[in-house]
Amino acid sequence: MSKVAIVTGGTRGIGREISQSLARAGYRVAANFAHNAEAAEAFNRETGIAVYQWDVCHFEACAENVARITQDLGPVEVLVNNAGITRDATMHKMSLDDWQAVIDTNLTSCFNMARCVIESMRARGFGRIVNIGSINGQAGQYGQVNYAAAKSGIHGFTKALAQEGAAKGITVNAVAPGYVDTDMVRSVPPAVLEKIIARIPAGRLGRAADIARTVLFLVADDADFITGATLSVNGGQHMY
Ligand code: CAA
């Protein structure tokens, strides 16, 4: 029986590519989305991948939908915490709402989702959790104290949960994308983006497929000795 995977924010951008790559590899995929129903329906029509609408900021909604997906597709063995937003502004212009929305969507969501699948993974002795971090969580970024804090938090979350999961067959890893050609990155002011691309040794933006292939590698059954790792996929923009 093929494994069931949930991809949060799984119908657009990097998440869309992850959902499709997992589906092509034989996983039964549930792609979550929060707001853009039109894009999600189009994604479902084009790919045949099941889509589920809920806001990953809300614990109860996560619990209800994990239960629904378990009933529809089977127990969840793979979780990809990909959902994320930006609300870029320099600190002196950032509102509390800009801060809270990014922390809730990008970081608290990881707790909400992992909490809802972890007991079943522990009981089954198998689980794969991949959290999508960011180069900007590793290196910081002007105008992103909220996003950098949330993504940096993901890296600590990953290492702590990896220690708890290791003896239970559950691996927990992070992927830290650099600047990938998605709507999110295209919304960076063009002059700023130009300067950023000039600093990428590979000389180009990343592709969503660059991230998806990394996720696929980490969730494989025989990747069971890789846990607590962060794989940077950034064209050489930041190494450490
Ligand atoms: N480093 C140093 N200085 C910078 C800078 C940077 N990266 N970005 C902007 N500045 C400077 C500008 O040059 C400008 O300086 P002067 O006043 O001396 O001219 C000053 O900051 C103000 O810049 P703006 O006119 O752009 O001010 P703003 O308030 O309108 O916007 C901003 C500021 C929101 C930070 C805007 O510049 C911006 O959106 N920058 C992009 C931030 C970014 O890279 N976000 C990443 C989004 S993609 C993502 O997050 C995905 C991922 O994981 C990689």
Side-chain angles (χ1 to χ4, degrees):
M1 196 67 155
S2 58
K3 292 188 162 60
V4 175
I6 296 181
V7 182
T8 69
T11 65
R12 297 199 305 129
I14 290 174
R16 177 189 174 104
E17 194 67 33
I18 295 170
S19 296
Q20 285 188 271
S21 295
L22 286 167
R24 278 197 295 268
Y27 292 81
R28 278 170 294 154
V29 178
N32 151 267
F33 70 101
H35 304 298
N36 194 335
E38 207 179 310
E41 280 156 24
F43 169 79
N44 170 258
R45 274 195 307 276
E46 284 163 30
T47 65
I49 294 172
V51 296
Y52 291 82
Q53 182 171 18
W54 80 93
D55 186 338
V56 288
C57 297
H58 300 305
F59 184 81
E60 287 308 325
C62 293
E64 276 166 28
N65 280 281
V66 167
R68 192 151 68 98
I69 290 163
T70 302
Q71 206 160 40
D72 292 351
L73 305 179
V76 179
E77 292 182 294
V78 176
L79 168 64
V80 183
N81 280 316
N82 164 77
I85 58 168
T86 52
R87 292 270 192 95
D88 294 355
T90 43
M91 181 64 140
H92 58 283
K93 293 183 190 165
M94 188 175 285
S95 67
L96 177 59
D97 187 55
D98 292 335
W99 167 265
Q100 202 63 57
V102 169
I103 297 295
D104 289 351
T105 306
N106 298 11
L107 181 59
T108 305
S109 61
C110 294
F111 168 81
N112 290 345
M113 288 303 299
R115 182 67 187 84
C116 290
V117 299
I118 201 77
E119 288 182 53
S120 148
M121 287 180 175
R122 285 169 64 90
R124 298 170 65 79
F126 182 90
R128 296 282 180 266
I129 298 177
V130 179
N131 303 311
I132 305 299
S134 167
I135 186 174
N136 294 348
Q138 297 170 306
Q141 169 62 41
Y142 190 105
Q144 283 202 311
V145 291
N146 51 1
Y147 188 89
K151 291 296 188 180
S152 174
I154 282 181
H155 296 300
F157 175 97
T158 298
K159 291 180 205 176
L161 188 54
Q163 291 182 23
E164 295 183 15
K168 300 284 178 192
I170 303 166
T171 68
V172 187
N173 292 289
V175 177
Y179 281 71
V180 176
D181 191 6
T182 58
D183 289 347
M184 182 184 274
V185 164
R186 278 190 288 270
S187 72
V188 171
V192 177
L193 189 56
E194 212 172 287
K195 284 187 200 154
I196 289 169
I197 295 171
R199 290 200 304 265
I200 303 174
R204 64 165 176 89
L205 290 174
R207 302 182 189 102
D210 297 327
I211 311 307
R213 65 179 293 131
T214 314
V215 172
L216 222 62
F217 167 72
L218 289 171
V219 301
D221 286 7
D222 58 2
D224 55 334
F225 205 59
I226 306 173
T227 195
T230 295
L231 293 189
S232 298
V233 185
N234 62 31
Q237 190 182 347
H238 180 69
M239 308 176 196
Y240 83 117

